[in-house]
């Protein structure tokens, strides 16, 4: 984990971390306990990603969850039942946790206000990850002190450059208006913490500083930069073999790009220069940027497999709850239980998770870990 990160909620200032400790004292206590016990010995997940719905109003070409969402929709699953959200919250309140409301697009979830109420009643921390298209429409819900962290995805600096993100005409201005509205109505309130997340792509890598200056002008001071997630044909073959041997690998995250580099050497060189400007700008502008500045970009954007020295903390502190109630590790990559007929504690200490951890000890990095965000901060080659 990056030294600039506190917990797994992304980049927080000490003041923000302190404010969230008042929202969920048990979460703060559990985090401190984990630091003494070791981060690989958490007694309960500290971070839950709730895939509230498989529906989405964007069509992002690089969406890592699109295939899984289509399968769930075809099987008749659409939204996570509110009673399962309540069941999870009642169990999680004993330990404290962050609940990241995800999707699909979480702002499409019809009972979103009920979810906020459940989180508030159980003294949990709410984190909304959204494409931003419905932020204005949902503004009343997002600005009543019930959302602690609001993360909006933005990959462009104007309408033309943002369009490939979700293929929705006019989305740039809609997202910008939503962010402006939230920031203006938030005032001096600590909630929500507003941050923008940008994925580095072939479309925007040479203009990252343009996005940075724009969102700073809007009033955003927290920016998350993500390297593009992709997998090669070779890795897909390795993944299929690994899954047949271990039973692990229901989902592999990343855009299928064949067996070539995502960026060529010239593009990587230009990206490095842009990132130098971004880092310098961040210091002068007082922006907090969550990014692994030490990553080997030449190797990252090549077909190179990560070193076994790369470590992942996600199986030790996070579970994803899918719309069908599945309790999963690795963003849906391996199912360890289901909320319909069990609880988190049973899944966390169950045989399937034990099997996963044994495989992790034996193999180290799996093929499905190739460019997963779980190893971003430890990735080496």
């Amino acid at each position: 984990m990056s030294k600039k990160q506190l917990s797994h909620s992304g980049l927080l200032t000490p003041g923000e971390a302190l404010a969230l400790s008042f929202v969920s004292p048990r979460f703060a206590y559990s985090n401190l306990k984990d630091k003494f016990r070791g981060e690989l010995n958490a007694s309960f997940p500290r971070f839950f990603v709730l895939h509230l719905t498989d529906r989405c109003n964007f069509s992002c070409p690089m969406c890592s969850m699109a295939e899984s969402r289509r399968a769930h929709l075809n099987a008749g699953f659409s939204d996570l039942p509110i009673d399962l959200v309540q069941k999870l919250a009642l169990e999680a309140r004993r330990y404290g946790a962050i609940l990241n409301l995800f999707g699909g697009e979480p702002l499409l979830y019809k009972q979103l206000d009920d979810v906020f109420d459940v989180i508030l009643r159980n003294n949990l921390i709410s984190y909304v990850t959204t494409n931003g298209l419905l932020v204005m429409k949902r503004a009343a819900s997002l600005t009543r002190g019930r959302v602690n962290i609001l993360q909006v995805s933005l990959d462009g600096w104007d309408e033309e450059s943002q369009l490939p993100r979700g293929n929705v005409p006019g989305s740039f201005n809609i997202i910008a208006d939503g962010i402006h509205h939230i920031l203006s109505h938030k005032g001096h309130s600590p909630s929500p913490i507003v941050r923008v997340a940008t994925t580095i792509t072939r479309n925007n890598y040479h203009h990252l500083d343009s996005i940075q200056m724009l969102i700073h002008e809007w009033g955003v001071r927290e920016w998350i930069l993500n390297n593009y997630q992709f997998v090669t044909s070779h890795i897909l073959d390795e993944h299929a073999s690994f899954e047949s041997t271990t039973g692990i690998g229901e989902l592999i995250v990343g855009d299928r790009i064949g067996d070539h580099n995502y960026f060529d050497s010239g593009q990587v060189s230009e990206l490095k220069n842009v990132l130098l400007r971004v880092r310098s700008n961040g210091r002068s502008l007082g922006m907090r940027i969550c990014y692994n500045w030490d990553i080997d970009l030449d190797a990252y954007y090549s077909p190179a497999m990560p070193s076994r020295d790369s470590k992942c903390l996600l199986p030790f502190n996070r579970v994803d709850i899918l719309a069908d109630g599945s309790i999963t590790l690795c963003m849906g990559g391996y199912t360890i239980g289901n909320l319909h007929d069990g609880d988190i504690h049973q899944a966390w200490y169950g045989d399937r998770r034990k099997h996963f951890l044994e495989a992790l000890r034996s193999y180290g990095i799996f093929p499905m870990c190739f460019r997963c965000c779980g190893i971003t901060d430890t990735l080496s080659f």
Side-chain angles (χ1 to χ4, degrees):
M1 184 188 304
S2 167
K3 293 179 180 179
K4 293 184 179 181
Q5 283 183 287
L6 301 175
S7 82
H8 300 279
S9 61
L11 191 60
L12 297 174
T13 66
E16 289 167 348
L18 179 63
L20 291 183
S21 72
F22 286 104
V23 173
S24 181
R26 286 185 181 273
F27 177 74
Y29 170 75
S30 296
N31 261 353
L32 288 174
K33 186 169 67 173
D34 289 347
K35 292 185 184 303
F36 285 106
R37 294 178 55 182
E39 292 176 304
L40 304 185
N41 298 301
S43 58
F44 193 80
R46 308 304 179 201
F47 194 81
F48 290 90
V49 179
L50 274 61
H51 299 253
L52 291 179
T53 179
D54 286 314
R55 294 174 293 117
C56 191
N57 48 8
F58 260 24
S59 180
C60 303
M62 79 292 200
C63 178
S64 60
M65 301 299 295
E67 183 178 340
S68 174
R69 290 192 293 104
R70 280 194 296 270
H72 287 161
L73 289 170
N74 291 337
F77 299 107
S78 177
D79 291 359
L80 181 67
I82 188 64
D83 62 302
L84 294 188
V85 178
Q86 294 168 334
K87 179 179 180 179
L88 168 65
L90 284 172
E91 186 178 6
R93 70 179 296 174
R94 298 199 300 269
Y95 303 89
I98 291 178
L99 269 57
N100 183 356
L101 308 183
F102 203 73
E105 171 49 48
L107 300 191
L108 285 171
Y109 190 72
K110 294 178 181 178
Q111 294 178 276
L112 187 63
D113 284 340
D114 294 330
V115 174
F116 290 146
D117 289 340
V118 168
I119 293 173
L120 187 64
R121 285 199 305 270
N122 289 283
N123 301 114
L124 300 168
I125 297 170
S126 58
Y127 188 145
V128 175
T129 301
T130 173
N131 60 35
L133 207 56
L134 292 176
V135 165
M136 181 69 82
K137 184 176 181 179
R138 290 284 198 174
S141 299
L142 299 172
T143 55
R144 291 175 181 168
R146 294 188 292 177
V147 177
N148 302 116
I149 303 169
L150 177 66
Q151 179 174 305
V152 182
S153 298
L154 185 77
D155 288 354
W157 58 96
D158 57 19
E159 170 59 25
E160 183 179 359
S161 58
Q162 172 64 15
L163 183 59
R165 169 75 194 204
N167 294 310
V168 176
S171 59
F172 177 81
N173 288 331
I174 294 172
I175 295 168
D177 289 345
I179 292 174
H180 281 302
H181 186 84
I182 296 296
L183 288 172
S184 63
H185 284 73
K186 169 187 172 180
H188 297 292
S189 172
S191 294
I193 298 166
V194 178
R195 53 181 53 144
V196 165
T198 298
T199 297
I200 298 171
T201 70
R202 290 169 177 159
N203 183 59
N204 68 11
Y205 75 97
H206 49 306
H207 281 296
L208 295 176
D209 45 349
S210 297
I211 300 174
Q212 178 184 29
M213 301 306 289
L214 179 72
I215 63 175
H216 180 270
E217 182 181 324
W218 291 352
V220 175
R221 296 295 179 266
E222 306 202 9
W223 190 29
I224 298 174
L225 268 179
N226 299 308
N227 282 302
Y228 196 76
Q229 290 180 273
F230 63 95
V231 290
T232 65
S233 300
H234 174 71
I235 292 300
L236 289 174
D237 292 340
E238 293 276 331
H239 173 70
S241 176
F242 180 80
E243 183 180 11
S244 67
T245 302
T246 64
I248 297 172
E250 299 162 31
L251 173 71
I252 183 167
V253 173
D255 185 12
R256 280 74 165 154
I257 66 165
D259 274 323
H260 51 274
N261 294 18
Y262 181 75
F263 284 140
D264 62 32
S265 59
Q267 290 170 321
V268 171
S269 178
E270 185 174 358
L271 173 60
K272 290 177 182 178
N273 289 331
V274 174
L275 288 172
L276 285 174
R277 296 200 301 269
V278 162
R279 194 173 192 181
S280 177
N281 290 341
R283 289 169 177 157
S284 61
L285 296 172
M287 292 184 74
R288 291 183 294 277
I289 305 173
C290 185
Y291 183 72
N292 179 5
W293 300 103
D294 299 322
I295 198 165
D296 182 345
L297 290 172
D298 292 284
Y300 182 95
Y301 285 108
S302 78
M305 185 65 187
S307 163
R308 288 173 63 90
D309 293 333
S310 305
K311 306 295 182 185
C312 183
L313 291 178
L314 296 191
F316 301 96
N317 55 49
R318 162 179 164 169
V319 295
D320 284 53
I321 309 298
L322 305 188
D324 64 355
S326 294
I327 305 168
T328 72
L329 303 177
C330 299
M331 294 173 266
Y334 185 67
T335 300
I336 59 174
N338 196 293
L339 281 175
H340 281 288
D341 50 31
D343 59 26
I344 301 299
H345 189 273
Q346 290 170 328
W348 195 245
Y349 290 96
D351 290 339
R352 287 187 61 82
R353 182 168 179 267
K354 289 178 182 177
H355 169 64
F356 183 94
L357 296 181
E358 288 170 0
L360 195 60
R361 283 190 287 269
S362 298
Y363 290 90
I365 292 299
F366 300 161
M368 62 195 281
C369 304
F370 181 66
R371 294 296 182 266
C372 178
C373 60
I375 60 174
T376 293
D377 294 320
T378 64
L379 184 59
S380 60
F381 294 92

